[in-house]
Amino acid sequence: MSLPVRIHQLEVAYGGRKQDAVVAVNGVDIEIGSGEFGVLLGPSGCGKSTVLNTIAGLISPTAGTITVGDQVFFDKSRDINLKPEKRGLGMVFQSYALWPHMTVFDNVAFPLRRRHVKREQIASRVGEMLELVRCQQYAKRYPHELSGGQQQRIALARTLVGKPAVVLFDEPLSNLDAELRIQLRDELALLHSEIAFTAVYVTHDQAEAYGLASKLFVLRDGRVEQTGPPLNVYHAPATEYVASFLGANSWAGEIVGREGKRLVVDSEYGIIESTSDPKGLGVGDTAVVAAYPDRIGLQRDPSGAGVVVSKRFGGAAMEIVVALGPANDDRLRIRRAADLVDVHEGDRVRLVVDPADALVYAGRPTHASDREHRPVPLDVQS
């Protein structure tokens, strides 16, 4: 059985609600349906782990409500704050948190023994769960005899063996190497399809978010910036911040006209046309243009505004950095197939962007924080 999770106007302020309080979560609304895989995505410090910990009961909010199924976990106005052990949730941590003195079997059996489940049922349930995570052969081993990936599988099995209706995941794959992360991400998605639990998953890794989420929540400074299926969020970022965090380049400009259904933007890197039609923007308004690295082409042009700062082989594609000048720190990162690249370091270039791939927003570029956490975005197919 799985249950929906509903969070309404959640607030977490350290130092109470005083004027100088630090507000970590500010008016968050989240709804994850029964059996859905909800992913909270955002940079460090955006509030995603704080939200997760309020659901678990490890942090007491300053305001708002948290409801799982028909049970109210937290309601400030009614003075309800259910203790963590009464919430019946499963939780998988970033650290594996396995008991070092217990075998794999005993680690997985631990939640069932605490609930006084009969011995024969424990043996059956633990065996089934170890088989699901492909670790049945390790039942008699101790955690220190396992690899990191195997330990995380055991931690997952221990969480799921009690059949919780809701499972919370706090960046559970971040300690693993890249290839193993992909493997366990895919296995987790398969487990979710086989065991109908509701998931609330926290990550800063967009590849994990795309691969797991049925509903994605992009957080910024303690608020939800955008919600929706991953494909929709990727292809239609609601704000320049979301586009930038998901890996898009962004640069400043001014709207100078319209040609039919196309906006014409005089940008730092030259004229860009766009079929996006942001509300409230007109000729003369300041705007920001955004486009994903694999949607920007380059042409050598002596009068072009951009300069190729670097060109590096990146495996499946060439990684090219373009700036307004060699010393300019505000740079565009472009990713193109090798056979589509005919530029070299030092070349002056102009950008070539299909109007359908150029997104336009009001304001100035934010260059979403924690850029080091944002890998080159996946080529998500529509």
Side-chain angles (χ1 to χ4, degrees), residues 59-89:
I59 292 176
S60 295
T62 317
T65 63
I66 301 171
T67 305
V68 174
D70 295 326
Q71 187 172 26
V72 178
F73 281 11
F74 178 86
D75 187 334
K76 183 68 173 181
S77 65
R78 295 159 59 188
D79 198 27
I80 297 173
N81 191 6
L82 211 59
K83 292 182 178 180
E85 63 269 22
K86 299 292 184 182
R87 300 193 178 198
L89 304 171

PDB file of all heavy atoms in Angstrom, residues 59-89:
ATOM      1  N   ILE A  59      12.954  17.505  12.028  1.00  0.00           N
ATOM      2  CA  ILE A  59      12.952  18.955  12.194  1.00  0.00           C
ATOM      3  C   ILE A  59      11.507  19.396  12.382  1.00  0.00           C
ATOM      4  O   ILE A  59      10.612  18.944  11.652  1.00  0.00           O
ATOM      5  CB  ILE A  59      13.570  19.672  10.970  1.00  0.00           C
ATOM      6  CG1 ILE A  59      15.069  19.384  10.876  1.00  0.00           C
ATOM      7  CG2 ILE A  59      13.323  21.173  11.034  1.00  0.00           C
ATOM      8  CD1 ILE A  59      15.732  19.985   9.649  1.00  0.00           C
ATOM      9  N   SER A  60      11.273  20.270  13.356  1.00  0.00           N
ATOM     10  CA  SER A  60       9.920  20.792  13.594  1.00  0.00           C
ATOM     11  C   SER A  60       9.736  22.099  12.840  1.00  0.00           C
ATOM     12  O   SER A  60      10.489  23.060  13.073  1.00  0.00           O
ATOM     13  CB  SER A  60       9.687  21.015  15.087  1.00  0.00           C
ATOM     14  OG  SER A  60       9.705  19.784  15.783  1.00  0.00           O
ATOM     15  N   PRO A  61       8.770  22.167  11.933  1.00  0.00           N
ATOM     16  CA  PRO A  61       8.532  23.401  11.176  1.00  0.00           C
ATOM     17  C   PRO A  61       8.052  24.539  12.068  1.00  0.00           C
ATOM     18  O   PRO A  61       7.622  24.338  13.203  1.00  0.00           O
ATOM     19  CB  PRO A  61       7.446  22.998  10.174  1.00  0.00           C
ATOM     20  CG  PRO A  61       7.501  21.505  10.116  1.00  0.00           C
ATOM     21  CD  PRO A  61       7.895  21.070  11.479  1.00  0.00           C
ATOM     22  N   THR A  62       8.130  25.743  11.529  1.00  0.00           N
ATOM     23  CA  THR A  62       7.619  26.921  12.214  1.00  0.00           C
ATOM     24  C   THR A  62       6.154  27.146  11.887  1.00  0.00           C
ATOM     25  O   THR A  62       5.411  27.720  12.687  1.00  0.00           O
ATOM     26  CB  THR A  62       8.428  28.164  11.792  1.00  0.00           C
ATOM     27  OG1 THR A  62       9.817  27.836  11.765  1.00  0.00           O
ATOM     28  CG2 THR A  62       8.216  29.312  12.743  1.00  0.00           C
ATOM     29  N   ALA A  63       5.733  26.677  10.716  1.00  0.00           N
ATOM     30  CA  ALA A  63       4.343  26.841  10.295  1.00  0.00           C
ATOM     31  C   ALA A  63       4.037  25.837   9.194  1.00  0.00           C
ATOM     32  O   ALA A  63       4.951  25.251   8.597  1.00  0.00           O
ATOM     33  CB  ALA A  63       4.086  28.266   9.801  1.00  0.00           C
ATOM     34  N   GLY A  64       2.738  25.653   8.911  1.00  0.00           N
ATOM     35  CA  GLY A  64       2.309  24.791   7.815  1.00  0.00           C
ATOM     36  C   GLY A  64       1.753  23.466   8.288  1.00  0.00           C
ATOM     37  O   GLY A  64       1.583  23.220   9.491  1.00  0.00           O
ATOM     38  N   THR A  65       1.452  22.603   7.311  1.00  0.00           N
ATOM     39  CA  THR A  65       0.905  21.271   7.599  1.00  0.00           C
ATOM     40  C   THR A  65       1.606  20.213   6.761  1.00  0.00           C
ATOM     41  O   THR A  65       2.039  20.483   5.641  1.00  0.00           O
ATOM     42  CB  THR A  65      -0.604  21.198   7.314  1.00  0.00           C
ATOM     43  OG1 THR A  65      -0.836  21.437   5.915  1.00  0.00           O
ATOM     44  CG2 THR A  65      -1.388  22.206   8.140  1.00  0.00           C
ATOM     45  N   ILE A  66       1.698  19.007   7.342  1.00  0.00           N
ATOM     46  CA  ILE A  66       2.213  17.838   6.631  1.00  0.00           C
ATOM     47  C   ILE A  66       1.226  16.706   6.867  1.00  0.00           C
ATOM     48  O   ILE A  66       0.951  16.347   8.014  1.00  0.00           O
ATOM     49  CB  ILE A  66       3.605  17.417   7.141  1.00  0.00           C
ATOM     50  CG1 ILE A  66       4.619  18.560   6.983  1.00  0.00           C
ATOM     51  CG2 ILE A  66       4.099  16.172   6.396  1.00  0.00           C
ATOM     52  CD1 ILE A  66       5.953  18.291   7.654  1.00  0.00           C
ATOM     53  N   THR A  67       0.698  16.154   5.779  1.00  0.00           N
ATOM     54  CA  THR A  67      -0.281  15.076   5.873  1.00  0.00           C
ATOM     55  C   THR A  67       0.157  13.922   4.998  1.00  0.00           C
ATOM     56  O   THR A  67       0.544  14.123   3.840  1.00  0.00           O
ATOM     57  CB  THR A  67      -1.678  15.556   5.425  1.00  0.00           C
ATOM     58  OG1 THR A  67      -2.044  16.700   6.182  1.00  0.00           O
ATOM     59  CG2 THR A  67      -2.721  14.468   5.636  1.00  0.00           C
ATOM     60  N   VAL A  68       0.110  12.709   5.531  1.00  0.00           N
ATOM     61  CA  VAL A  68       0.402  11.496   4.761  1.00  0.00           C
ATOM     62  C   VAL A  68      -0.841  10.616   4.808  1.00  0.00           C
ATOM     63  O   VAL A  68      -1.267  10.187   5.887  1.00  0.00           O
ATOM     64  CB  VAL A  68       1.621  10.744   5.327  1.00  0.00           C
ATOM     65  CG1 VAL A  68       1.815   9.419   4.602  1.00  0.00           C
ATOM     66  CG2 VAL A  68       2.877  11.599   5.184  1.00  0.00           C
ATOM     67  N   GLY A  69      -1.426  10.383   3.643  1.00  0.00           N
ATOM     68  CA  GLY A  69      -2.711   9.697   3.622  1.00  0.00           C
ATOM     69  C   GLY A  69      -3.738  10.552   4.331  1.00  0.00           C
ATOM     70  O   GLY A  69      -3.883  11.743   4.046  1.00  0.00           O
ATOM     71  N   ASP A  70      -4.440   9.977   5.291  1.00  0.00           N
ATOM     72  CA  ASP A  70      -5.418  10.724   6.078  1.00  0.00           C
ATOM     73  C   ASP A  70      -4.863  11.159   7.430  1.00  0.00           C
ATOM     74  O   ASP A  70      -5.589  11.747   8.245  1.00  0.00           O
ATOM     75  CB  ASP A  70      -6.675   9.857   6.310  1.00  0.00           C
ATOM     76  CG  ASP A  70      -7.404   9.546   5.017  1.00  0.00           C
ATOM     77  OD1 ASP A  70      -7.402  10.415   4.122  1.00  0.00           O
ATOM     78  OD2 ASP A  70      -7.969   8.442   4.898  1.00  0.00           O
ATOM     79  N   GLN A  71      -3.586  10.870   7.675  1.00  0.00           N
ATOM     80  CA  GLN A  71      -3.006  11.172   8.981  1.00  0.00           C
ATOM     81  C   GLN A  71      -2.223  12.473   8.944  1.00  0.00           C
ATOM     82  O   GLN A  71      -1.354  12.669   8.095  1.00  0.00           O
ATOM     83  CB  GLN A  71      -2.100  10.033   9.447  1.00  0.00           C
ATOM     84  CG  GLN A  71      -1.599  10.205  10.879  1.00  0.00           C
ATOM     85  CD  GLN A  71      -0.865   8.979  11.384  1.00  0.00           C
ATOM     86  OE1 GLN A  71      -0.309   8.211  10.606  1.00  0.00           O
ATOM     87  NE2 GLN A  71      -0.865   8.784  12.697  1.00  0.00           N
ATOM     88  N   VAL A  72      -2.538  13.352   9.865  1.00  0.00           N
ATOM     89  CA  VAL A  72      -1.825  14.619   9.975  1.00  0.00           C
ATOM     90  C   VAL A  72      -0.560  14.390  10.792  1.00  0.00           C
ATOM     91  O   VAL A  72      -0.623  13.998  11.958  1.00  0.00           O
ATOM     92  CB  VAL A  72      -2.702  15.696  10.643  1.00  0.00           C
ATOM     93  CG1 VAL A  72      -1.912  17.000  10.796  1.00  0.00           C
ATOM     94  CG2 VAL A  72      -3.968  15.931   9.833  1.00  0.00           C
ATOM     95  N   PHE A  73       0.586  14.608  10.167  1.00  0.00           N
ATOM     96  CA  PHE A  73       1.873  14.471  10.852  1.00  0.00           C
ATOM     97  C   PHE A  73       2.231  15.754  11.601  1.00  0.00           C
ATOM     98  O   PHE A  73       2.802  15.708  12.684  1.00  0.00           O
ATOM     99  CB  PHE A  73       2.990  14.158   9.865  1.00  0.00           C
ATOM    100  CG  PHE A  73       3.055  12.728   9.421  1.00  0.00           C
ATOM    101  CD1 PHE A  73       2.031  11.826   9.698  1.00  0.00           C
ATOM    102  CD2 PHE A  73       4.149  12.256   8.722  1.00  0.00           C
ATOM    103  CE1 PHE A  73       2.095  10.505   9.290  1.00  0.00           C
ATOM    104  CE2 PHE A  73       4.237  10.932   8.314  1.00  0.00           C
ATOM    105  CZ  PHE A  73       3.202  10.056   8.599  1.00  0.00           C
ATOM    106  N   PHE A  74       1.902  16.878  10.972  1.00  0.00           N
ATOM    107  CA  PHE A  74       2.238  18.169  11.575  1.00  0.00           C
ATOM    108  C   PHE A  74       1.190  19.195  11.196  1.00  0.00           C
ATOM    109  O   PHE A  74       0.787  19.292  10.035  1.00  0.00           O
ATOM    110  CB  PHE A  74       3.620  18.654  11.114  1.00  0.00           C
ATOM    111  CG  PHE A  74       3.998  19.999  11.678  1.00  0.00           C
ATOM    112  CD1 PHE A  74       4.600  20.087  12.920  1.00  0.00           C
ATOM    113  CD2 PHE A  74       3.733  21.160  10.976  1.00  0.00           C
ATOM    114  CE1 PHE A  74       4.932  21.332  13.455  1.00  0.00           C
ATOM    115  CE2 PHE A  74       4.064  22.399  11.493  1.00  0.00           C
ATOM    116  CZ  PHE A  74       4.667  22.481  12.746  1.00  0.00           C
ATOM    117  N   ASP A  75       0.768  19.959  12.179  1.00  0.00           N
ATOM    118  CA  ASP A  75      -0.132  21.089  11.939  1.00  0.00           C
ATOM    119  C   ASP A  75       0.120  22.095  13.054  1.00  0.00           C
ATOM    120  O   ASP A  75      -0.303  21.890  14.194  1.00  0.00           O
ATOM    121  CB  ASP A  75      -1.597  20.650  11.930  1.00  0.00           C
ATOM    122  CG  ASP A  75      -2.536  21.781  11.505  1.00  0.00           C
ATOM    123  OD1 ASP A  75      -2.174  22.958  11.696  1.00  0.00           O
ATOM    124  OD2 ASP A  75      -3.626  21.492  10.992  1.00  0.00           O
ATOM    125  N   LYS A  76       0.822  23.138  12.742  1.00  0.00           N
ATOM    126  CA  LYS A  76       1.190  24.121  13.753  1.00  0.00           C
ATOM    127  C   LYS A  76      -0.031  24.734  14.412  1.00  0.00           C
ATOM    128  O   LYS A  76      -0.056  24.912  15.639  1.00  0.00           O
ATOM    129  CB  LYS A  76       2.054  25.213  13.109  1.00  0.00           C
ATOM    130  CG  LYS A  76       2.578  26.267  14.076  1.00  0.00           C
ATOM    131  CD  LYS A  76       3.588  25.686  15.032  1.00  0.00           C
ATOM    132  CE  LYS A  76       4.225  26.768  15.888  1.00  0.00           C
ATOM    133  NZ  LYS A  76       5.234  26.229  16.816  1.00  0.00           N
ATOM    134  N   SER A  77      -1.059  25.035  13.618  1.00  0.00           N
ATOM    135  CA  SER A  77      -2.233  25.703  14.165  1.00  0.00           C
ATOM    136  C   SER A  77      -3.014  24.822  15.131  1.00  0.00           C
ATOM    137  O   SER A  77      -3.720  25.327  16.013  1.00  0.00           O
ATOM    138  CB  SER A  77      -3.153  26.165  13.022  1.00  0.00           C
ATOM    139  OG  SER A  77      -3.666  25.044  12.314  1.00  0.00           O
ATOM    140  N   ARG A  78      -2.889  23.501  14.986  1.00  0.00           N
ATOM    141  CA  ARG A  78      -3.606  22.568  15.873  1.00  0.00           C
ATOM    142  C   ARG A  78      -2.670  21.901  16.878  1.00  0.00           C
ATOM    143  O   ARG A  78      -3.068  20.995  17.594  1.00  0.00           O
ATOM    144  CB  ARG A  78      -4.310  21.497  15.024  1.00  0.00           C
ATOM    145  CG  ARG A  78      -5.418  22.071  14.144  1.00  0.00           C
ATOM    146  CD  ARG A  78      -5.752  21.152  12.988  1.00  0.00           C
ATOM    147  NE  ARG A  78      -6.187  19.831  13.430  1.00  0.00           N
ATOM    148  CZ  ARG A  78      -6.378  18.795  12.595  1.00  0.00           C
ATOM    149  NH1 ARG A  78      -6.152  18.944  11.292  1.00  0.00           N
ATOM    150  NH2 ARG A  78      -6.775  17.641  13.061  1.00  0.00           N
ATOM    151  N   ASP A  79      -1.416  22.365  16.912  1.00  0.00           N
ATOM    152  CA  ASP A  79      -0.418  21.848  17.845  1.00  0.00           C
ATOM    153  C   ASP A  79      -0.228  20.335  17.691  1.00  0.00           C
ATOM    154  O   ASP A  79      -0.123  19.605  18.677  1.00  0.00           O
ATOM    155  CB  ASP A  79      -0.805  22.191  19.286  1.00  0.00           C
ATOM    156  CG  ASP A  79       0.386  22.063  20.235  1.00  0.00           C
ATOM    157  OD1 ASP A  79       1.531  22.222  19.767  1.00  0.00           O
ATOM    158  OD2 ASP A  79       0.167  21.771  21.428  1.00  0.00           O
ATOM    159  N   ILE A  80      -0.178  19.870  16.435  1.00  0.00           N
ATOM    160  CA  ILE A  80       0.065  18.456  16.146  1.00  0.00           C
ATOM    161  C   ILE A  80       1.479  18.312  15.609  1.00  0.00           C
ATOM    162  O   ILE A  80       1.874  19.017  14.674  1.00  0.00           O
ATOM    163  CB  ILE A  80      -0.945  17.911  15.106  1.00  0.00           C
ATOM    164  CG1 ILE A  80      -2.366  17.969  15.644  1.00  0.00           C
ATOM    165  CG2 ILE A  80      -0.591  16.475  14.708  1.00  0.00           C
ATOM    166  CD1 ILE A  80      -3.424  17.613  14.610  1.00  0.00           C
ATOM    167  N   ASN A  81       2.243  17.427  16.218  1.00  0.00           N
ATOM    168  CA  ASN A  81       3.603  17.151  15.751  1.00  0.00           C
ATOM    169  C   ASN A  81       3.945  15.721  16.139  1.00  0.00           C
ATOM    170  O   ASN A  81       4.479  15.454  17.210  1.00  0.00           O
ATOM    171  CB  ASN A  81       4.614  18.125  16.346  1.00  0.00           C
ATOM    172  CG  ASN A  81       5.972  18.030  15.675  1.00  0.00           C
ATOM    173  OD1 ASN A  81       6.150  17.320  14.688  1.00  0.00           O
ATOM    174  ND2 ASN A  81       6.955  18.737  16.220  1.00  0.00           N
ATOM    175  N   LEU A  82       3.611  14.791  15.236  1.00  0.00           N
ATOM    176  CA  LEU A  82       3.783  13.370  15.507  1.00  0.00           C
ATOM    177  C   LEU A  82       5.265  13.026  15.655  1.00  0.00           C
ATOM    178  O   LEU A  82       6.107  13.504  14.882  1.00  0.00           O
ATOM    179  CB  LEU A  82       3.176  12.558  14.359  1.00  0.00           C
ATOM    180  CG  LEU A  82       2.590  11.179  14.667  1.00  0.00           C
ATOM    181  CD1 LEU A  82       1.470  11.270  15.687  1.00  0.00           C
ATOM    182  CD2 LEU A  82       2.090  10.535  13.377  1.00  0.00           C
ATOM    183  N   LYS A  83       5.609  12.202  16.619  1.00  0.00           N
ATOM    184  CA  LYS A  83       6.989  11.793  16.824  1.00  0.00           C
ATOM    185  C   LYS A  83       7.465  10.952  15.638  1.00  0.00           C
ATOM    186  O   LYS A  83       6.676  10.246  15.017  1.00  0.00           O
ATOM    187  CB  LYS A  83       7.118  10.998  18.120  1.00  0.00           C
ATOM    188  CG  LYS A  83       6.883  11.831  19.369  1.00  0.00           C
ATOM    189  CD  LYS A  83       7.066  10.991  20.622  1.00  0.00           C
ATOM    190  CE  LYS A  83       6.878  11.843  21.877  1.00  0.00           C
ATOM    191  NZ  LYS A  83       7.051  11.052  23.119  1.00  0.00           N
ATOM    192  N   PRO A  84       8.778  11.016  15.327  1.00  0.00           N
ATOM    193  CA  PRO A  84       9.297  10.275  14.166  1.00  0.00           C
ATOM    194  C   PRO A  84       8.945   8.796  14.182  1.00  0.00           C
ATOM    195  O   PRO A  84       8.567   8.232  13.141  1.00  0.00           O
ATOM    196  CB  PRO A  84      10.817  10.482  14.270  1.00  0.00           C
ATOM    197  CG  PRO A  84      10.967  11.770  15.000  1.00  0.00           C
ATOM    198  CD  PRO A  84       9.831  11.824  15.973  1.00  0.00           C
ATOM    199  N   GLU A  85       9.059   8.143  15.341  1.00  0.00           N
ATOM    200  CA  GLU A  85       8.805   6.699  15.417  1.00  0.00           C
ATOM    201  C   GLU A  85       7.333   6.350  15.233  1.00  0.00           C
ATOM    202  O   GLU A  85       6.991   5.185  15.009  1.00  0.00           O
ATOM    203  CB  GLU A  85       9.319   6.143  16.751  1.00  0.00           C
ATOM    204  CG  GLU A  85       8.639   6.698  17.988  1.00  0.00           C
ATOM    205  CD  GLU A  85       9.338   7.934  18.539  1.00  0.00           C
ATOM    206  OE1 GLU A  85      10.067   8.597  17.775  1.00  0.00           O
ATOM    207  OE2 GLU A  85       9.136   8.217  19.746  1.00  0.00           O
ATOM    208  N   LYS A  86       6.455   7.360  15.302  1.00  0.00           N
ATOM    209  CA  LYS A  86       5.026   7.113  15.118  1.00  0.00           C
ATOM    210  C   LYS A  86       4.586   7.333  13.668  1.00  0.00           C
ATOM    211  O   LYS A  86       3.424   7.116  13.329  1.00  0.00           O
ATOM    212  CB  LYS A  86       4.209   8.032  16.032  1.00  0.00           C
ATOM    213  CG  LYS A  86       4.471   7.852  17.534  1.00  0.00           C
ATOM    214  CD  LYS A  86       3.958   6.510  18.016  1.00  0.00           C
ATOM    215  CE  LYS A  86       4.132   6.382  19.542  1.00  0.00           C
ATOM    216  NZ  LYS A  86       3.671   5.057  20.022  1.00  0.00           N
ATOM    217  N   ARG A  87       5.490   7.773  12.813  1.00  0.00           N
ATOM    218  CA  ARG A  87       5.097   8.140  11.450  1.00  0.00           C
ATOM    219  C   ARG A  87       5.118   6.965  10.478  1.00  0.00           C
ATOM    220  O   ARG A  87       4.538   7.056   9.391  1.00  0.00           O
ATOM    221  CB  ARG A  87       5.998   9.278  10.942  1.00  0.00           C
ATOM    222  CG  ARG A  87       5.894  10.519  11.822  1.00  0.00           C
ATOM    223  CD  ARG A  87       6.511  11.750  11.220  1.00  0.00           C
ATOM    224  NE  ARG A  87       6.335  12.899  12.107  1.00  0.00           N
ATOM    225  CZ  ARG A  87       6.455  14.172  11.740  1.00  0.00           C
ATOM    226  NH1 ARG A  87       6.780  14.468  10.480  1.00  0.00           N
ATOM    227  NH2 ARG A  87       6.270  15.141  12.598  1.00  0.00           N
ATOM    228  N   GLY A  88       5.808   5.901  10.813  1.00  0.00           N
ATOM    229  CA  GLY A  88       5.780   4.702   9.978  1.00  0.00           C
ATOM    230  C   GLY A  88       6.402   4.863   8.603  1.00  0.00           C
ATOM    231  O   GLY A  88       5.994   4.198   7.648  1.00  0.00           O
ATOM    232  N   LEU A  89       7.405   5.728   8.519  1.00  0.00           N
ATOM    233  CA  LEU A  89       8.056   5.986   7.242  1.00  0.00           C
ATOM    234  C   LEU A  89       9.334   5.171   7.112  1.00  0.00           C
ATOM    235  O   LEU A  89       9.959   4.805   8.099  1.00  0.00           O
ATOM    236  CB  LEU A  89       8.398   7.473   7.114  1.00  0.00           C
ATOM    237  CG  LEU A  89       7.250   8.470   7.266  1.00  0.00           C
ATOM    238  CD1 LEU A  89       7.801   9.888   7.324  1.00  0.00           C
ATOM    239  CD2 LEU A  89       6.245   8.321   6.133  1.00  0.00           C
TER     240      LEU A  89
END
